[in-house]
Amino acid sequence: MSKLQQRLMRELQQNRAIQIVHTDEWSIPIRTVDVTYKPVQRSTMDVLMTMLLVSMQEIDFSTPQEFSELLLVDVLFIEDLITIMKRAGLIDQQESVYQLTVKGQQQLAQGVFEEELDEEVATLFFSPCHHAFLKVDEGRTEDYDELPELYRYLDKEAEQQFEDSQLIEALQQDEEATASSQKVIAQIVQAEAKQINDSPCLEFVLYDKEQDILYARIWNVLLHQWDHVLEQQLTAKEQLQWRERYK
């Protein structure tokens, strides 16, 4: 930790007007939450699927061959697409006639196609100090033999039962989208809060001689970056004390 602290101090003091007047170390608790969820792949509905669904609304069809002859598309493509739409719950057959389901009507109106994917499991990291889930690179997490004391302004009431909407929002942040397709979290199957692990932070109180201000910089070791949320918290709570103590 001392090497990291020294590197950060050199970085902070590159500006000659900045003076480090205080340093400290403390930890914040991180709650791990294992989440099982169902995703769907949401994409722009292609032209052939749209044509098939529109045709089913207007004309009674009972075989893929009839669609093939109407649309002048190879029957194998029609059969594959009908299988996909049945599996997705967009169409069904009543008295041998293909019909749109309510879901099929909705997706046709929206011009989107949602395909259900297999269940997935992810681990989320909740910080009571941030009142939020943190985006953590699990490959860069470390174990520590000794940790400093807990953050002096720890909110002990922040531990909570997580709403599905919170979990979906946190999971969705990691999903990339293209212009035509996006993986969407459709449902939370199960969420299980696991152990709490403490993670260290490095505190630096700085004095800017040119602007005559005192403020905090906090390095979050878990996130491998400066933590603006904790910096704002600490500066708001202690700035007056710093002016009395270090000026």
Side-chain angles (χ1 to χ4, degrees):
M1 192 75 71
S2 60
K3 289 184 179 180
L4 172 60
Q5 189 177 51
Q6 290 171 11
R7 177 178 68 80
L8 295 173
M9 290 176 69
R10 287 195 298 270
E11 177 183 325
L12 292 170
Q13 294 181 110
Q14 286 180 354
N15 183 342
R16 293 181 179 275
I18 301 299
Q19 176 185 357
I20 298 174
V21 297
H22 176 71
T23 63
D24 201 357
E25 298 179 16
W26 32 265
S27 298
I28 57 174
I30 302 294
R31 164 75 77 178
T32 58
V33 183
D34 289 343
V35 184
T36 304
Y37 61 95
K38 287 184 178 180
V40 297
Q41 193 69 38
R42 180 179 293 166
S43 57
T44 303
M45 188 174 287
D46 65 39
V47 175
L48 182 56
M49 183 179 289
T50 301
M51 292 172 65
L52 278 174
L53 292 174
V54 170
S55 299
M56 290 177 189
Q57 281 186 319
E58 299 178 351
I59 306 172
D60 290 343
F61 291 97
S62 57
T63 68
Q65 185 65 41
E66 292 174 313
F67 288 113
S68 176
E69 293 171 358
L70 174 69
L71 302 176
L72 301 179
V73 177
D74 190 295
V75 69
L76 293 177
F77 289 113
I78 301 295
E79 289 174 346
D80 287 345
L81 201 49
I82 286 176
T83 299
I84 291 171
M85 292 192 296
K86 276 187 173 181
R87 187 172 63 239
L90 303 188
I91 62 173
D92 58 19
Q93 274 185 294
Q94 296 184 15
E95 298 179 357
S96 300
V97 175
Y98 289 106
Q99 294 185 345
L100 274 66
T101 62
V102 173
K103 182 178 179 181
Q105 293 171 358
Q106 291 172 343
Q107 293 194 20
L108 176 61
Q110 295 167 357
V112 300
F113 171 57
E114 292 186 353
E115 184 177 11
E116 293 186 6
L117 304 176
D118 292 336
E119 286 186 3
E120 297 185 20
V121 178
T123 299
L124 298 177
F125 299 85
F126 181 78
S127 168
C129 296
H130 297 75
H131 296 268
F133 288 98
L134 304 184
K135 191 171 183 179
V136 174
D137 182 352
E138 293 187 64
R140 298 180 65 183
T141 56
E142 302 177 29
D143 293 324
Y144 302 94
D145 294 330
E146 294 185 16
L147 286 165
E149 296 294 321
L150 285 172
Y151 181 41
R152 53 193 175 274
Y153 297 112
L154 177 63
D155 183 356
K156 296 181 180 179
E157 304 299 322
E159 185 64 23
Q160 61 187 61
Q161 295 293 322
F162 305 112
E163 300 291 337
D164 284 1
S165 58
Q166 293 175 287
L167 299 170
I168 289 174
E169 182 180 358
L171 291 165
Q172 198 65 57
Q173 291 177 357
D174 292 331
E175 298 299 341
E176 297 181 358
T178 65
S180 61
S181 180
Q182 182 184 17
K183 188 176 176 182
V184 178
I185 313 304
Q187 179 186 353
I188 301 298
V189 178
Q190 181 182 10
E192 185 178 2
K194 296 289 189 177
Q195 74 275 11
I196 295 178
N197 295 317
D198 295 340
S199 180
C201 292
L202 300 179
E203 172 190 337
F204 303 90
V205 179
L206 308 179
Y207 175 60
D208 186 324
K209 301 174 186 177
E210 292 181 351
Q211 300 186 56
D212 189 29
I213 57 172
L214 287 148
Y215 60 97
R217 298 304 312 271
I218 309 297
W219 182 264
N220 189 318
V221 175
L222 181 66
L223 301 181
H224 302 274
Q225 64 185 25
W226 297 108
D227 192 317
H228 301 303
V229 172
L230 295 179
E231 289 170 358
Q232 291 173 4
Q233 284 182 14
L234 204 59
T235 299
K237 291 179 179 296
E238 297 193 356
Q239 195 170 45
L240 293 178
Q241 298 175 34
W242 295 338
R243 185 157 289 277
E244 294 175 359
R245 190 178 305 163
Y246 303 121
K247 279 286 281 127

